[in-house]
Amino acid sequence: MEKYVIEGGNPLVGEVEIGGAKNAALAILAASIMTDETVTIENVPDVRDTNVMMQAMESIGANIIKVDRHTFKINGARIHNQVILNEGIKKIRASYYLIGALLGKYKNAEVPLPGGCNLGTRAIDQHIKGFRSLGATVNVRHGSVIAHAQNLKGSHIFMDKVSVGATINVIMAAVMAEGKTVIENAAKEPHVVDLANFLNSMGANIKGAGTDVIRISGVPKLHKSEYAIIPDQIEAGTYLMAAAATQGDITVRNVIPKHLECIYAKLSEIGCRVEESDDAVRVIATGRLGNTQVKTLPYPGFPTDMQPQMTVTLGISQGISIVTESIFDNRFKYVDELARMGSDIKVEGNTAIITGVERYTGAEIDAPDLRAGAALVIAALSAEGRSVVTDIQYIQRGYEDFHLKLQKLGGNIRLVDEPEETDLFYRDPAFSVVVS
Ligand code: UD1
C-alpha cells in the first residue's frame, strides 16, 4: 500500500498549476456519450475518479481515445447496452451521472448505487424525483438504480434540497426531453455551469445555469463539440490553505479567481495577504494567523469540500474558531486523526470548536476520505517532525500529482510503497522504496 511520508515544518513557497475540475469532468465525461458524434474534452484531470468513470463508459461500448494526458476523444455511437456492471464505478459518487446521461439519450439506464466519500447519509431522492417528474419509472433493485421511460417530457421540478448531483442529473435527463423543463432551487456550483455550457456547446438549450432557476428547452439530438473543463476550485483552494497553514506564499495559476473568492475571503479575514490577477491567486501568510467562524453552504458560500482544510488551518491559528458543517452530517471524522497530532478540537453535532494550538506534531494518520486526507497532509506539512499518512488512495481520487506538486513548493513529502517498507524507512531511510 502506498503512503506519504512527510517531514513537516517547511513553509510552502512557489507557484502551482491547477488542473481541470474533477467534479465538472465527471459530469462532462458522462454527458459526452449523449451524442453519436465525437466529442473532444480537454483539461480532464488524471485522477482515479475520472479514470474509473471512463472505464465504466468503455464497458458499455463507448470509444475513448487518449490524445494526451488530459485530452480525450469520446464517441458513444457504439454503446450497446445501458447496464453498468463495472465494479469500480460503485466506489465513486459520480457514477450516478451515468443514469442521467443514459436515461436522457437511450431512455434506459441501470447503474450501481453511488459510493464515494463516506460523509454521512447521501440520499439520491432528489435525482429520482427529478427523473420521475420527467416521466421515467425509477426503482432501486439489487444495489442498482434502474430507470426507464417510453418518452421523457419536460416538467416543472422544485428541488427540496440544493443538490449539485441532482441538478446536473436532471439537466442531463431533460436536454432531449420533449418540451420545456424548469428546475427550481437548483445548485449554482461552477461545475453545474460548466456542464450546462458543455451541453449547450453540443446543441442543448439550457438557460440560467449558475442561478437557482434553470430552464431547459428539449432538443431532438446533440452533436459533436470540443470543450475544455474549468480549473478545479477545490484543488486550488487546497493549495491556498497549504500556504496559510505552513506560513508560506503560494500562487495558484490557471484558476478562475471568482470561484475562489469564498475561500480566500476567509484567509484574508484570519490575516493572510491575498493578491488576485486574471488567472492567478496568491496567498501569503507571515506569522501565526487569527481565528474566525465558518459555515459551509452551497455555492457561492464556503464549500464543504474545503471544510477539513480550513479546520486544519484554524487548528494552529490563535484563539477559538467555530466551523459549522451544514451540507453533510458526518464530515468531522478526521478530527480524531488530527487529535493524534496535538490539536484541540471539540466536535458537537455539526459544529467544531477549535482552540488553536501553537503547532501540530508529526504522527501516523489515516486519510478517512478525499478532502480530509488532503487536509491531514497539510497538517503534516505544517507539523514538527515526521508523519506517515496511510489510505492515500482516497486522496488520489481527486488530486493529480499531489505529492509532486507539494514537493515543487518545497514540501518534504515522499510517496512510499509497500507497508513493510515504511517500517524500514523508520529504521533506516536508506531502505525505503521511494516511488517518486
Ligand atoms: C457534490 C460533489 C461533492 C461536494 C457536494 C457538495 C461531485 C461528484 N461531488 O456531491 O464533492 O461535497 O457536491 O458541494 O460533484 N441530498 C439529498 N438528496 C439528494 C441529493 C442530495 O438529501 O437526492 C443531500 C446530500 O445528502 C447532502 C446535500 O444534499 O447532504 C448536498 O448533496 P449534493 O449537493 O447532492 O452533493 P453531491 O452531488 O453528492
Side-chain angles (χ1 to χ4, degrees):
M1 282 296 246
E2 292 180 332
K3 307 168 181 210
Y4 291 136
V5 178
I6 297 167
E7 209 63 65
N10 289 356
L12 299 191
V13 177
E15 297 189 348
V16 59
E17 200 72 28
I18 298 306
K22 170 189 79 96
N23 288 344
L26 291 167
I28 287 172
L29 286 170
S32 69
I33 56 173
M34 296 183 72
T35 172
D36 286 344
E37 298 180 14
T38 299
V39 167
T40 305
I41 307 175
E42 294 165 17
N43 212 23
V44 178
D46 183 10
V47 294
R48 219 186 71 198
D49 278 14
T50 52
N51 288 308
V52 167
M53 175 60 90
M54 286 191 273
Q55 279 159 19
M57 288 158 55
E58 281 178 322
S59 76
I60 52 168
N63 183 356
I64 304 182
I65 297 168
K66 187 173 185 171
V67 179
D68 60 42
R69 188 175 182 194
H70 301 121
T71 307
F72 295 84
K73 284 189 182 292
I74 300 174
N75 186 293
R78 297 231 172 116
I79 286 184
H80 43 73
N81 75 60
Q82 296 82 45
V83 183
I84 306 278
L85 297 170
N86 179 285
E87 269 302 303
I89 200 76
K90 289 184 195 157
K91 300 206 178 93
I92 70 170
R93 177 75 182 159
S95 57
Y96 53 44
Y97 290 145
L98 289 169
I99 313 172
L102 291 169
L103 182 66
K105 170 134 195 257
Y106 297 97
K107 319 279 179 276
N108 192 33
E110 185 170 333
V111 179
L113 264 174
C117 288
N118 178 10
L119 312 175
T121 320
R122 294 184 79 170
I124 58 160
D125 56 307
Q126 298 306 303
H127 305 234
I128 293 176
K129 169 176 155 170
F131 297 146
R132 284 187 178 145
S133 140
L134 294 168
T137 310
V138 188
N139 292 297
V140 179
R141 264 191 262 134
H142 308 297
S144 285
V145 179
I146 302 166
H148 175 75
Q150 290 297 335
N151 233 333
L152 291 170
K153 285 212 166 105
S155 173
H156 199 117
I157 301 159
F158 195 98
M159 295 284 179
D160 301 323
K161 201 154 191 179
V162 179
S163 160
V164 174
T167 303
I168 287 179
N169 239 340
V170 174
I171 292 176
M172 290 198 285
V175 280
M176 287 188 274
E178 267 172 39
K180 288 192 189 333
T181 297
V182 179
I183 307 172
E184 305 235 28
N185 201 23
K188 296 180 280 211
E189 267 67 3
H191 38 300
V192 174
V193 179
D194 209 31
L195 180 271
N197 287 341
F198 171 62
L199 286 168
N200 283 341
S201 80
M202 294 168 79
N205 184 344
I206 305 164
K207 296 202 171 95
T211 74
D212 42 26
V213 183
I214 296 178
R215 294 170 203 279
I216 303 161
S217 296
V219 295
K221 64 179 199 165
L222 300 177
H223 55 67
K224 68 181 175 188
S225 167
E226 285 184 18
Y227 194 81
I229 290 166
I230 52 164
D232 198 309
Q233 175 204 30
I234 306 300
E235 186 195 16
T238 301
Y239 289 106
L240 294 182
M241 218 49 89
T246 64
Q247 298 185 7
D249 174 353
I250 296 179
T251 302
V252 288
R253 296 216 164 270
N254 181 34
V255 297
I256 299 174
K258 177 89 195 138
H259 294 168
L260 300 174
E261 266 173 18
C262 45
I263 299 164
Y264 68 67
K266 279 290 158 193
L267 289 177
S268 161
E269 214 176 288
I270 60 174
C272 293
R273 213 172 88 210
V274 179
E275 292 171 7
E276 187 196 308
S277 59
D278 282 355
D279 67 348
V281 173
R282 179 178 179 191
V283 163
I284 307 154
T286 41
R288 214 164 150 222
L289 299 168
N291 60 331
T292 189
Q293 301 207 357
V294 181
K295 184 174 186 182
T296 63
L297 288 168
Y299 190 82
F302 189 89
T304 173
D305 284 357
M306 286 300 302
Q307 180 261 97
Q309 302 90 313
M310 186 80 219
T311 301
V312 157
T313 304
L314 293 173
I316 43 173
S317 299
Q318 292 178 58
I320 295 178
S321 297
I322 311 279
V323 173
T324 307
E325 172 58 55
S326 78
I327 309 291
F328 292 109
D329 51 21
N330 189 14
R331 207 166 190 174
F332 283 118
K333 277 182 301 177
Y334 65 90
V335 165
D336 289 342
E337 295 300 299
L338 207 53
R340 294 148 58 76
M341 302 181 79
S343 69
D344 183 354
I345 302 177
K346 223 164 98 192
V347 175
E348 285 176 8
N350 276 350
T351 301
I353 301 138
I354 304 160
T355 306
V357 295
E358 195 73 40
R359 65 185 322 174
Y360 298 126
T361 51
E364 268 206 49
I365 41 183
D366 277 337
D369 62 65
L370 166 59
R371 304 304 172 185
L376 290 171
V377 167
I378 293 176
L381 285 164
S382 76
E384 178 197 315
R386 179 178 296 174
S387 298
V388 176
V389 184
T390 53
D391 278 340
I392 63 166
Q393 71 278 7
Y394 290 115
I395 302 172
Q396 292 164 339
R397 283 187 41 209
Y399 290 90
E400 181 179 307
D401 295 343
F402 195 40
H403 68 290
L404 298 178
K405 289 185 178 181
L406 289 167
Q407 277 171 7
K408 270 181 90 178
L409 295 167
N412 192 341
I413 171 169
R414 287 185 282 177
L415 180 68
V416 175
D417 207 355
E418 309 293 346
E420 62 282 6
E421 302 299 349
T422 310
D423 301 337
L424 286 172
F425 181 81
Y426 267 125
R427 285 197 293 275
D428 181 351
F431 284 98
S432 68
V433 174
V434 176
V435 176
S436 48

